[in-house]
């Protein structure tokens, strides 16, 4: 058996399982809590940003991912905050792409800086991007995000497409009275421009910057877009997440629904998160964390790190209790630190 076959063979045997028999193969890393937008439902501006020395260095992230890959992680998503705000972000992508066993690296971004970086990110090994976009109207974009940058996002989407960072998924969070009248406009984009649009139910987490009480359910979204045609289930979109995909007949684009509020998908959870300040977080919606930064900085060896990773996986809960939450958990970390 060749060395490569041997290493593939070893990897097949390595798999991480949690206490509920779910295989965990996906690491989501918040590479920075900084963001160049200040969305009404995301509390970046109300938080003191982390100091540079408090966030994991690229070398520390590389070490952690290498150990995780050895345990069966093969997919990594880089998020934040806005990942492209971290200097030399492409270097991190290249470092992770060089790790044996990692075969899928993706990023979640607001797209503002993508036109500048799409080509080099692709060359460094980034496979695909999810881009967050809640409105197609310039004045509304400014109202929701605090910045007049819609044009930059649209240019970022085009650049990502040209660079081959496909499939590009556009994430929209509909909110009543804020952008819910555009649900249908996004659905039309799947027909007219082949976009892959995903509607995400708003979750009551963190401290919003404005009144964002009006979550729109997936059932309500479906009702709105049914005037465009009958949705057919679609299974051709690669991903590691919980979205359920559909398509209007004879169109290229797709529609995805992510339903953390009305139909949790914890039974298929395959992920572990790394916060920007170096904690392993088993669930976006549960506060338990395992500090891995201190271990990385005090000379922990591979076995020590494996033990911490396994510990974090072991404490994954069977399911979150978001639907039963009456008010936002304002004492918890903001999304930008955990990684959205
Ligand atoms: N800056 C990057 C971006 O804009 O995609 C990554 C971080 S951002 C926090 C990731 C995603 O989380 C965005 O699509 C955003 O809309 C979503 N998000 C933030 N707060 C949310 C909430 N309370 N409920 C649902 N989605 C949320």
């Amino acid at each position: 058996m060749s060395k490569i076959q041997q290493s593939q063979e070893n990897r097949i045997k390595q798999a991480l399982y949690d206490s509920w028999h779910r295989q965990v193969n996906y690491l989501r890393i918040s590479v920075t809590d900084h963001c160049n937008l200040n969305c009404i439902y995301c509390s970046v501006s109300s938080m003191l940003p982390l100091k540079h020395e408090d966030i994991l260095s690229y070398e520390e992230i590389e070490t952690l991912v290498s150990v995780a890959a050895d345990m069966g992680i093969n997919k990594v998503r880089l998020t934040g905050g806005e990942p492209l705000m971290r200097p030399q972000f492409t270097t991190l992508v290249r470092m992770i792409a060089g790790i044996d066993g990692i075969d899928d690296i993706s990023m979640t971004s607001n797209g503002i800086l993508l036109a500048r970086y799409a080509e080099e990110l692709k060359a460094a090994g980034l496979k695909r991007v999810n881009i967050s976009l809640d409105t197609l109207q310039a004045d509304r974009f400014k109202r929701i995000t605090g910045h007049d940058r819609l044009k930059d996002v649209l240019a970022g989407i085009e650049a990502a497409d040209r660079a081959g960072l496909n499939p590009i998924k556009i994430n929209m969070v509909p909110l009543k009275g804020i952008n819910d009248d555009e649900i249908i406009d996004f659905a039309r984009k799947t027909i007219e421009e082949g976009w892959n649009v995903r509607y995400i139910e708003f979750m009551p987490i963190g401290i919003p910057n404005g009144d964002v009480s009006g979550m729109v359910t997936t059932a309500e979204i479906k009702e709105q877009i049914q005037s465009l045609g009958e949705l057919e289930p679609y299974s051709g979109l690669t991903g590691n997440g919980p979205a359920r995909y559909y398509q209007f007949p004879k169109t290229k684009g797709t529609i995805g629904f992510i339903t953390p509020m009305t139909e949790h998908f914890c039974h298929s959870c395959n992920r572990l998160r790394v916060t920007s300040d170096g904690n392993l977080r088993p669930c976006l919606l549960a506060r338990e964390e395992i500090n891995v930064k201190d271990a990385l900085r005090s000379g922990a060896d591979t076995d020590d790190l494996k033990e911490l990773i396994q510990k974090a996986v072991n404490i994954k809960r069977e399911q979150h209790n978001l639907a039963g939450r009456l008010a936002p958990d304002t004492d918890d970390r903001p999304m930008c630190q955990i990684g959205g």
Side-chain angles (χ1 to χ4, degrees), residues 2 20 83 95 131 133 135 158 168 178 249 251 253 258 281-282 298 319:
S2 75
W20 312 97
M95 287 162 86
I131 298 174
L133 181 61
T135 174
E158 278 177 25
I168 298 167
I178 292 177
T251 60
I258 303 184
R281 175 135 172 161
S298 58
Q319 63 182 67

Side-chain angles (χ1 to χ4, degrees), residues 126-144:
L126 189 74
K127 289 249 163 82
R128 56 207 170 80
V129 285
N130 291 358
I131 298 174
S132 308
L133 181 61
D134 296 328
T135 174
L136 300 165
Q137 301 173 16
D139 55 340
R140 188 176 278 177
F141 186 94
K142 190 169 176 204
R143 228 175 305 136
I144 293 176

Side-chain angles (χ1 to χ4, degrees), residues 101 109 112-113 128 182 220 222 234 241 247 285 308 315 336:
S109 167
I112 286 178
L113 297 172
R128 56 207 170 80
E182 288 188 71
E220 289 167 327
K222 281 185 176 163
Y234 181 78
Q247 206 171 37
L285 303 162
L308 291 176
I315 60 170
C336 57

Side-chain angles (χ1 to χ4, degrees), residues 23 30 34 42 46 55 68 115 131 138 140 160 173 188 200 204-205 215 228 268 299 302 340:
Q23 187 176 354
S30 173
H34 290 240
C42 199
S46 58
I55 62 174
I131 298 174
R140 188 176 278 177
V173 179
R188 260 192 219 103
I200 304 177
I205 51 180
M215 190 265 287
L228 295 178
S268 61
T302 303

Side-chain angles (χ1 to χ4, degrees), residues 41 79-82 108-110 132 171 173 201-203 205 335 340:
Y41 55 81
T79 178
E82 173 51 37
T108 300
S109 167
N110 60 33
S132 308
N171 288 339
V173 179
E201 287 176 347
F202 176 72
M203 297 172 278
I205 51 180
M335 190 89 140

Side-chain angles (χ1 to χ4, degrees), residues 145-218:
T145 68
H147 295 266
D148 190 10
R149 307 294 296 267
L150 176 63
K151 264 197 201 145
D152 297 315
V153 180
L154 297 176
I157 294 171
E158 278 177 25
D161 193 32
R162 272 196 309 275
L165 289 168
N166 305 109
I168 298 167
K169 295 172 188 161
I170 307 295
N171 288 339
M172 184 215 191
V173 179
L175 288 162
K176 282 193 178 137
I178 292 177
N179 62 348
D180 57 334
D181 56 343
E182 288 188 71
I183 288 171
I184 197 142
D185 298 334
F186 276 81
R188 260 192 219 103
K189 286 278 195 187
T190 75
I191 299 172
E192 292 165 6
E193 294 183 44
W195 280 20
N196 302 303
V197 170
R198 308 192 313 169
Y199 300 100
I200 304 177
E201 287 176 347
F202 176 72
M203 297 172 278
I205 51 180
I207 315 158
N209 298 314
D211 178 13
V212 289
S213 48
M215 190 265 287
V216 185
T217 66
T218 292

